[in-house]
Coordinates of all heavy atoms in Angstrom, one line a residue:
M13 N 0.8 -1.2 0.0 CA 0.0 0.0 0.0 C 0.9 1.2 0.0 O 1.9 1.2 0.6 CB -0.9 0.0 1.2 CG -2.1 -0.8 1.1 SD -3.5 -0.2 2.1 CE -3.3 -1.1 3.6
K14 N 0.3 2.3 -0.6 CA 1.1 3.5 -0.7 C 0.1 4.7 -0.4 O -1.0 4.8 -1.0 CB 1.7 3.7 -2.1 CG 2.4 5.0 -2.3 CD 3.0 5.1 -3.6 CE 3.9 6.4 -3.7 NZ 4.5 6.5 -5.0
T15 N 0.5 5.5 0.6 CA -0.3 6.7 0.9 C 0.2 7.9 0.1 O 1.4 8.1 0.0 CB -0.2 7.0 2.4 OG1 -0.7 5.9 3.1 CG2 -1.0 8.2 2.8
V16 N -0.7 8.6 -0.5 CA -0.3 9.7 -1.4 C -1.0 11.0 -0.9 O -2.1 11.0 -0.5 CB -0.8 9.4 -2.9 CG1 -0.4 10.6 -3.8 CG2 -0.2 8.1 -3.3
D17 N -0.2 12.1 -1.0 CA -0.7 13.4 -0.7 C -0.4 14.3 -1.9 O 0.8 14.6 -2.2 CB 0.1 14.0 0.5 CG -0.1 13.2 1.8 OD1 -1.3 12.9 2.1 OD2 0.9 12.9 2.4
F18 N -1.4 14.6 -2.7 CA -1.3 15.3 -4.0 C -1.7 16.7 -3.9 O -2.8 17.0 -3.5 CB -2.2 14.6 -5.0 CG -2.1 15.2 -6.4 CD1 -1.1 14.8 -7.3 CD2 -3.1 16.1 -6.8 CE1 -1.1 15.3 -8.6 CE2 -3.0 16.6 -8.1 CZ -2.0 16.2 -9.0
K19 N -0.7 17.6 -4.2 CA -1.0 19.1 -4.1 C -1.8 19.4 -5.4 O -1.3 19.2 -6.5 CB 0.3 19.8 -4.1 CG 0.1 21.3 -4.2 CD 0.4 22.0 -2.8 CE 0.4 23.5 -2.9 NZ -0.9 24.1 -2.9
T20 N -3.0 20.0 -5.2 CA -3.8 20.3 -6.4 C -3.4 21.7 -7.0 O -2.6 22.4 -6.4 CB -5.3 20.4 -6.0 OG1 -5.4 21.5 -5.0 CG2 -5.8 19.1 -5.4
S21 N -4.0 21.9 -8.2 CA -3.7 23.2 -8.9 C -5.0 23.7 -9.4 O -5.7 23.0 -10.2 CB -2.7 22.9 -10.0 OG -2.4 24.1 -10.8
G22 N -5.3 25.0 -9.1 CA -6.5 25.6 -9.7 C -7.8 25.3 -9.0 O -8.8 25.6 -9.7
T23 N -7.8 24.7 -7.8 CA -9.0 24.4 -7.2 C -9.1 24.9 -5.8 O -8.0 25.3 -5.2 CB -9.3 22.9 -7.1 OG1 -8.2 22.3 -6.4 CG2 -9.3 22.3 -8.5
C24 N -10.3 24.9 -5.2 CA -10.4 25.4 -3.8 C -9.8 24.3 -2.8 O -9.2 24.7 -1.8 CB -11.9 25.6 -3.5 SG -12.7 26.9 -4.4
A25 N -9.9 23.1 -3.2 CA -9.2 22.0 -2.4 C -7.7 22.2 -2.7 O -7.3 22.4 -3.8 CB -9.7 20.6 -2.8
T26 N -6.9 22.1 -1.6 CA -5.5 22.3 -1.8 C -4.7 21.0 -1.9 O -3.6 21.0 -2.5 CB -5.0 23.2 -0.7 OG1 -5.3 22.6 0.6 CG2 -5.6 24.6 -0.8
V27 N -5.2 20.0 -1.2 CA -4.5 18.7 -1.2 C -5.5 17.6 -1.2 O -6.6 17.7 -0.6 CB -3.6 18.5 0.1 CG1 -2.9 17.2 0.1 CG2 -2.6 19.7 0.3
I28 N -5.1 16.5 -2.0 CA -5.9 15.3 -2.0 C -5.1 14.2 -1.4 O -3.9 14.0 -1.8 CB -6.3 14.9 -3.4 CG1 -7.1 16.0 -4.1 CG2 -7.2 13.6 -3.4 CD1 -7.4 15.8 -5.6
H29 N -5.7 13.5 -0.4 CA -5.0 12.3 0.2 C -5.7 11.1 -0.2 O -6.9 11.0 -0.3 CB -5.1 12.4 1.8 CG -4.7 13.7 2.3 ND1 -3.3 14.1 2.5 CD2 -5.3 14.8 2.8 CE1 -3.2 15.3 3.0 NE2 -4.4 15.7 3.2
F30 N -5.0 10.0 -0.5 CA -5.6 8.7 -0.8 C -4.5 7.6 -0.6 O -3.3 7.9 -0.5 CB -6.1 8.7 -2.2 CG -5.1 8.9 -3.3 CD1 -4.5 7.8 -3.9 CD2 -4.8 10.1 -3.8 CE1 -3.6 7.9 -4.9 CE2 -3.9 10.3 -4.8 CZ -3.3 9.2 -5.4
T31 N -5.0 6.4 -0.6 CA -4.2 5.2 -0.5 C -4.4 4.4 -1.8 O -5.5 4.2 -2.3 CB -4.6 4.3 0.7 OG1 -4.4 5.1 1.9 CG2 -3.7 3.1 0.8
K32 N -3.3 3.9 -2.3 CA -3.3 3.0 -3.5 C -2.9 1.7 -3.0 O -1.8 1.5 -2.4 CB -2.4 3.5 -4.6 CG -2.6 2.7 -5.9 CD -1.8 3.4 -7.0 CE -2.3 2.8 -8.3 NZ -1.6 3.5 -9.5
T33 N -3.8 0.7 -3.1 CA -3.6 -0.6 -2.5 C -2.6 -1.4 -3.4 O -2.4 -1.0 -4.6 CB -4.9 -1.4 -2.4 OG1 -5.4 -1.6 -3.6 CG2 -5.8 -0.7 -1.4
D34 N -2.1 -2.5 -2.9 CA -1.2 -3.3 -3.7 C -1.8 -3.9 -5.0 O -1.1 -4.1 -6.0 CB -0.7 -4.5 -2.9 CG 0.2 -4.0 -1.7 OD1 0.8 -2.9 -1.8 OD2 0.3 -4.8 -0.7
D35 N -3.1 -4.0 -5.0 CA -3.8 -4.5 -6.2 C -4.3 -3.3 -7.1 O -5.1 -3.5 -8.0 CB -4.9 -5.5 -5.9 CG -6.1 -4.8 -5.2 OD1 -6.0 -3.7 -4.7 OD2 -7.1 -5.5 -5.0
G36 N -3.9 -2.1 -6.8 CA -4.2 -0.9 -7.7 C -5.5 -0.2 -7.4 O -5.9 0.6 -8.2
R37 N -6.1 -0.5 -6.3 CA -7.4 0.1 -6.0 C -7.1 1.4 -5.2 O -6.1 1.5 -4.4 CB -8.3 -0.8 -5.2 CG -8.6 -2.1 -5.9 CD -9.7 -1.9 -6.9 NE -9.9 -3.1 -7.7 CZ -10.8 -3.2 -8.6 NH1 -11.6 -2.1 -8.8 NH2 -11.0 -4.2 -9.3
I38 N -8.0 2.4 -5.3 CA -7.8 3.7 -4.6 C -8.8 3.6 -3.4 O -10.0 3.4 -3.6 CB -8.1 4.8 -5.5 CG1 -7.2 4.8 -6.8 CG2 -8.0 6.2 -4.8 CD1 -5.7 4.8 -6.5
T39 N -8.3 3.9 -2.2 CA -9.2 3.9 -1.0 C -8.8 5.2 -0.2 O -7.8 5.9 -0.4 CB -8.9 2.7 -0.2 OG1 -7.6 2.7 0.3 CG2 -9.2 1.4 -1.0
D40 N -9.7 5.4 0.8 CA -9.4 6.5 1.8 C -9.2 7.8 1.2 O -8.3 8.6 1.6 CB -8.2 6.1 2.7 CG -8.4 4.7 3.4 OD1 -9.5 4.4 3.8 OD2 -7.5 3.9 3.4
V41 N -9.9 8.2 0.2 CA -9.8 9.5 -0.4 C -10.3 10.6 0.5 O -11.4 10.5 1.0 CB -10.5 9.6 -1.8 CG1 -10.4 10.9 -2.4 CG2 -10.0 8.5 -2.7
S42 N -9.6 11.7 0.7 CA -10.0 12.8 1.4 C -9.4 14.1 0.8 O -8.3 14.0 0.2 CB -9.7 12.7 2.9 OG -8.3 12.7 3.1
F43 N -10.1 15.2 1.0 CA -9.6 16.5 0.4 C -9.4 17.5 1.5 O -10.2 17.5 2.5 CB -10.7 17.0 -0.5 CG -10.9 16.2 -1.8 CD1 -11.7 15.1 -1.7 CD2 -10.4 16.7 -3.0 CE1 -11.9 14.3 -2.9 CE2 -10.7 15.9 -4.1 CZ -11.4 14.8 -4.1
E44 N -8.5 18.4 1.4 CA -8.3 19.5 2.3 C -8.9 20.7 1.5 O -8.4 21.0 0.4 CB -6.8 19.8 2.6 CG -6.3 18.7 3.5 CD -4.8 19.1 4.0 OE1 -4.4 20.3 4.0 OE2 -4.1 18.1 4.3
G45 N -9.9 21.4 2.1 CA -10.5 22.5 1.5 C -11.6 22.1 0.5 O -11.9 20.9 0.5
G46 N -12.1 23.0 -0.3 CA -13.1 22.6 -1.2 C -14.5 22.5 -0.6 O -14.8 22.9 0.5
C47 N -15.4 22.1 -1.5 CA -16.9 21.9 -1.1 C -17.0 20.6 -0.3 O -17.1 19.5 -0.9 CB -17.7 21.9 -2.3 SG -17.5 23.4 -3.3
N48 N -17.1 20.7 1.0 CA -17.0 19.6 1.9 C -18.0 18.5 1.5 O -17.6 17.3 1.4 CB -17.3 20.1 3.3 CG -17.0 19.0 4.4 OD1 -16.1 18.2 4.2 ND2 -17.9 18.9 5.4
G49 N -19.3 18.8 1.4 CA -20.3 17.8 1.1 C -20.0 17.1 -0.2 O -20.1 15.8 -0.3
N50 N -19.8 17.8 -1.3 CA -19.5 17.3 -2.6 C -18.3 16.4 -2.6 O -18.3 15.3 -3.2 CB -19.4 18.3 -3.6 CG -20.7 19.1 -3.9 OD1 -21.8 18.5 -3.8 ND2 -20.6 20.3 -4.4
L51 N -17.3 16.8 -1.9 CA -16.0 16.0 -2.0 C -16.1 14.8 -1.1 O -15.5 13.8 -1.5 CB -14.8 16.9 -1.5 CG -14.6 18.1 -2.5 CD1 -13.5 19.0 -2.0 CD2 -14.3 17.6 -3.9
K52 N -16.9 14.8 0.0 CA -17.2 13.6 0.7 C -17.9 12.6 -0.2 O -17.6 11.4 -0.1 CB -18.0 13.9 2.0 CG -17.1 14.5 3.1 CD -18.0 14.7 4.3 CE -17.2 15.4 5.4 NZ -18.1 15.7 6.6
A53 N -18.9 13.1 -0.9 CA -19.6 12.2 -1.8 C -18.7 11.6 -2.9 O -18.8 10.4 -3.2 CB -20.8 13.0 -2.5
I54 N -17.9 12.4 -3.5 CA -16.9 11.9 -4.5 C -16.1 10.8 -3.9 O -15.8 9.8 -4.5 CB -16.1 13.0 -5.1 CG1 -17.0 13.9 -6.1 CG2 -14.9 12.5 -5.9 CD1 -16.3 15.1 -6.5
S55 N -15.6 11.1 -2.7 CA -14.7 10.1 -2.0 C -15.4 8.8 -1.8 O -14.8 7.7 -2.0 CB -14.3 10.7 -0.7 OG -13.5 11.9 -0.9
K56 N -16.7 8.8 -1.4 CA -17.4 7.6 -1.3 C -17.6 6.9 -2.6 O -17.6 5.6 -2.7 CB -18.7 7.9 -0.6 CG -18.6 8.2 0.9 CD -20.0 8.5 1.5 CE -19.9 8.8 2.9 NZ -21.2 9.0 3.6
L57 N -17.9 7.6 -3.6 CA -18.3 7.0 -4.9 C -17.1 6.4 -5.6 O -17.2 5.4 -6.3 CB -18.8 8.1 -5.9 CG -20.2 8.6 -5.5 CD1 -20.6 9.8 -6.3 CD2 -21.3 7.5 -5.7
V58 N -15.9 6.9 -5.4 CA -14.7 6.3 -6.0 C -14.0 5.2 -5.2 O -13.1 4.6 -5.6 CB -13.7 7.4 -6.4 CG1 -14.3 8.4 -7.4 CG2 -13.0 8.1 -5.2
E59 N -14.4 5.0 -3.9 CA -13.8 4.1 -3.0 C -13.7 2.7 -3.7 O -14.7 2.1 -4.2 CB -14.6 4.0 -1.7 CG -14.1 3.0 -0.7 CD -12.8 3.5 0.0 OE1 -12.5 4.7 -0.1 OE2 -12.1 2.6 0.5
G60 N -12.5 2.2 -3.8 CA -12.3 0.8 -4.3 C -12.1 0.8 -5.8 O -11.8 -0.3 -6.4
M61 N -12.3 1.9 -6.5 CA -12.1 1.9 -8.0 C -10.6 1.9 -8.3 O -9.7 2.2 -7.5 CB -12.7 3.2 -8.6 CG -14.2 3.2 -8.7 SD -14.6 4.8 -9.5 CE -16.3 4.5 -9.8
T62 N -10.3 1.5 -9.5 CA -8.9 1.6 -10.0 C -8.6 3.0 -10.5 O -9.6 3.8 -10.7 CB -8.6 0.7 -11.2 OG1 -9.4 1.1 -12.3 CG2 -8.9 -0.8 -10.9
A63 N -7.4 3.4 -10.6 CA -7.0 4.7 -11.1 C -7.6 5.0 -12.4 O -8.1 6.1 -12.7 CB -5.5 4.9 -11.1
E64 N -7.6 4.0 -13.3 CA -8.1 4.1 -14.7 C -9.6 4.4 -14.6 O -10.1 5.2 -15.4 CB -7.8 2.9 -15.5 CG -6.3 2.7 -15.8 CD -5.5 2.2 -14.6 OE1 -6.1 1.6 -13.6 OE2 -4.3 2.2 -14.7
Q65 N -10.3 3.7 -13.8 CA -11.8 3.9 -13.7 C -12.1 5.3 -13.2 O -13.0 6.0 -13.7 CB -12.4 2.9 -12.7 CG -12.5 1.5 -13.2 CD -12.9 0.5 -12.1 OE1 -12.4 0.6 -11.0 NE2 -13.7 -0.5 -12.5
I66 N -11.3 5.8 -12.2 CA -11.5 7.2 -11.7 C -11.2 8.2 -12.8 O -12.0 9.1 -13.1 CB -10.7 7.4 -10.5 CG1 -11.2 6.5 -9.3 CG2 -10.7 8.9 -10.1 CD1 -10.3 6.5 -8.1
R67 N -10.1 8.0 -13.5 CA -9.7 8.8 -14.6 C -10.8 8.9 -15.7 O -11.3 10.0 -16.1 CB -8.4 8.4 -15.3 CG -8.0 9.2 -16.5 CD -7.1 8.5 -17.4 NE -7.7 7.3 -17.9 CZ -7.0 6.2 -18.3 NH1 -5.7 6.1 -18.1 NH2 -7.7 5.1 -18.7
D68 N -11.3 7.7 -16.1 CA -12.4 7.6 -17.1 C -13.6 8.4 -16.7 O -14.3 8.9 -17.6 CB -12.7 6.2 -17.5 CG -11.5 5.5 -18.2 OD1 -10.5 6.2 -18.6 OD2 -11.5 4.3 -18.3
K69 N -14.0 8.4 -15.5 CA -15.2 9.0 -15.0 C -15.0 10.5 -14.7 O -16.0 11.3 -15.0 CB -15.7 8.3 -13.7 CG -16.1 6.9 -13.9 CD -17.5 6.7 -13.4 CE -17.9 5.3 -13.6 NZ -18.9 5.1 -14.6
L70 N -13.9 10.9 -14.2 CA -13.8 12.3 -13.7 C -12.9 13.2 -14.5 O -13.0 14.4 -14.3 CB -13.3 12.2 -12.2 CG -14.2 11.4 -11.3 CD1 -13.5 11.4 -9.9 CD2 -15.6 12.0 -11.3
A71 N -12.0 12.7 -15.3 CA -11.0 13.6 -16.0 C -11.8 14.5 -16.9 O -12.7 14.1 -17.6 CB -10.0 12.8 -16.8
G72 N -11.4 15.8 -16.9 CA -12.0 16.8 -17.8 C -13.2 17.5 -17.2 O -13.7 18.5 -17.8
N73 N -13.7 17.1 -16.1 CA -14.8 17.8 -15.4 C -14.2 19.2 -15.0 O -13.1 19.3 -14.5 CB -15.3 17.1 -14.2 CG -16.1 15.9 -14.5 OD1 -17.3 16.1 -14.9 ND2 -15.6 14.7 -14.4
I74 N -15.0 20.2 -15.3 CA -14.6 21.6 -14.9 C -15.5 22.2 -13.8 O -16.6 21.7 -13.7 CB -14.4 22.5 -16.1 CG1 -15.8 22.7 -16.8 CG2 -13.4 22.0 -17.0 CD1 -15.8 23.7 -17.9
C75 N -15.1 23.2 -13.2 CA -15.8 23.9 -12.1 C -16.0 25.4 -12.5 O -15.0 26.1 -12.5 CB -15.1 23.7 -10.8 SG -16.0 24.4 -9.4
G76 N -17.2 25.8 -12.8 CA -17.4 27.2 -13.1 C -16.6 27.6 -14.3 O -16.6 26.9 -15.3
K77 N -15.8 28.7 -14.2 CA -15.0 29.2 -15.3 C -13.6 28.6 -15.3 O -12.8 29.0 -16.1 CB -15.0 30.7 -15.3 CG -16.3 31.3 -15.6 CD -16.3 32.8 -15.6 CE -17.7 33.4 -15.8 NZ -17.7 34.8 -15.8
K78 N -13.3 27.8 -14.3 CA -12.0 27.2 -14.2 C -11.8 26.1 -15.2 O -12.8 25.5 -15.7 CB -11.8 26.6 -12.8 CG -11.9 27.6 -11.7 CD -11.8 26.9 -10.3 CE -12.0 27.9 -9.2 NZ -12.0 27.2 -7.9
N79 N -10.6 25.8 -15.6 CA -10.3 24.7 -16.6 C -10.1 23.4 -15.9 O -9.6 22.5 -16.5 CB -9.2 25.1 -17.5 CG -7.9 25.3 -16.8 OD1 -7.8 25.2 -15.6 ND2 -6.8 25.6 -17.5
T80 N -10.4 23.3 -14.6 CA -10.2 22.1 -13.9 C -11.3 22.0 -12.8 O -12.1 22.9 -12.7 CB -8.8 21.9 -13.3 OG1 -8.6 20.6 -12.8 CG2 -8.5 23.0 -12.2
S81 N -11.3 21.0 -12.0 CA -12.2 20.9 -10.8 C -11.5 20.0 -9.8 O -10.5 19.3 -10.1 CB -13.5 20.3 -11.2 OG -13.3 18.9 -11.6
C82 N -12.1 19.8 -8.6 CA -11.6 18.9 -7.7 C -11.6 17.5 -8.2 O -10.7 16.7 -8.0 CB -12.3 19.0 -6.3 SG -12.0 20.6 -5.5
A83 N -12.7 17.1 -8.9 CA -12.8 15.8 -9.5 C -11.7 15.6 -10.6 O -11.1 14.5 -10.6 CB -14.2 15.6 -10.1
D84 N -11.5 16.6 -11.4 CA -10.5 16.5 -12.4 C -9.1 16.3 -11.8 O -8.3 15.5 -12.2 CB -10.5 17.7 -13.3 CG -9.5 17.7 -14.4 OD1 -9.5 16.7 -15.2 OD2 -8.7 18.7 -14.5
Q85 N -8.9 17.1 -10.7 CA -7.6 17.0 -10.0 C -7.4 15.6 -9.3 O -6.3 15.0 -9.3 CB -7.5 18.1 -8.9 CG -7.3 19.5 -9.5 CD -6.0 19.6 -10.2 OE1 -4.9 19.5 -9.5 NE2 -6.0 19.9 -11.5
L86 N -8.5 15.0 -8.9 CA -8.4 13.6 -8.3 C -8.0 12.7 -9.5 O -7.2 11.8 -9.2 CB -9.8 13.2 -7.7 CG -9.9 11.8 -7.2 CD1 -8.8 11.5 -6.2 CD2 -11.3 11.5 -6.7
A87 N -8.6 12.8 -10.6 CA -8.2 12.0 -11.8 C -6.7 12.1 -12.1 O -6.0 11.1 -12.3 CB -9.0 12.3 -13.0
K88 N -6.2 13.3 -12.0 CA -4.8 13.5 -12.2 C -4.0 12.9 -11.1 O -2.9 12.3 -11.4 CB -4.5 15.0 -12.3 CG -5.0 15.7 -13.6 CD -4.7 17.2 -13.6 CE -5.0 17.9 -14.8 NZ -6.1 17.7 -15.6
A89 N -4.4 13.1 -9.9 CA -3.7 12.6 -8.7 C -3.5 11.1 -8.8 O -2.4 10.5 -8.6 CB -4.4 13.0 -7.4
V90 N -4.6 10.3 -9.1 CA -4.5 8.9 -9.0 C -3.7 8.4 -10.2 O -3.1 7.3 -10.1 CB -5.9 8.2 -9.0 CG1 -6.6 8.6 -7.7 CG2 -6.7 8.5 -10.2
M91 N -3.6 9.1 -11.3 CA -2.8 8.7 -12.4 C -1.4 9.0 -12.3 O -0.5 8.5 -13.0 CB -3.4 9.2 -13.7 CG -4.8 8.7 -14.1 SD -4.9 6.9 -14.2 CE -3.8 6.5 -15.5
S92 N -1.1 9.9 -11.3 CA 0.3 10.3 -11.1 C 1.1 9.3 -10.4 O 2.3 9.4 -10.3 CB 0.4 11.7 -10.4 OG 0.0 11.5 -9.0
E93 N 0.5 8.4 -9.8 CA 1.2 7.4 -8.9 C 1.2 6.0 -9.6 O 0.3 5.5 -10.1 CB 0.4 7.2 -7.6 CG 0.5 8.5 -6.7 CD 2.0 9.0 -6.5 OE1 2.8 8.2 -6.1 OE2 2.2 10.2 -6.6

């Protein structure tokens, strides 16, 4: 298992924490900052998914006028490891 702390860019959340299991599953996702309720929901929804599954679902989502979002940053974070 590997614990990851990913510094985000361009979002209200500043850091994403998660664990990547030995079989490639993402667990224990949490965010520092951002929209608390929405990010708790995202964390629950992606629990146990592979990095590729998370990327396929969340990459490219934007927030308002920004060119990224917390979900998009999560997709980047899990693919960076």
Side-chain angles (χ1 to χ4, degrees):
M13 279 209 267
K14 180 177 183 180
T15 301
V16 179
D17 302 310
F18 180 85
K19 175 107 172 83
T20 62
S21 176
T23 61
C24 298
T26 56
V27 180
I28 303 171
H29 308 283
F30 62 93
T31 301
K32 190 168 192 177
T33 65
D34 294 337
D35 66 351
R37 301 283 174 176
I38 305 301
T39 63
D40 305 317
V41 177
S42 66
F43 294 78
E44 289 185 26
C47 302
N48 188 39
N50 289 333
L51 297 176
K52 283 180 181 176
I54 289 172
S55 298
K56 287 180 180 182
L57 291 170
V58 302
E59 181 72 18
M61 288 183 167
T62 65
E64 292 78 13
Q65 289 171 319
I66 293 171
R67 177 201 59 211
D68 292 348
K69 295 235 181 249
L70 301 180
N73 284 285
I74 59 170
C75 182
K77 295 181 181 180
K78 298 175 184 178
N79 63 358
T80 191
S81 67
C82 293
D84 182 57
Q85 289 293 298
L86 176 57
K88 288 175 171 47
V90 297
M91 292 307 296
S92 72
E93 294 305 313

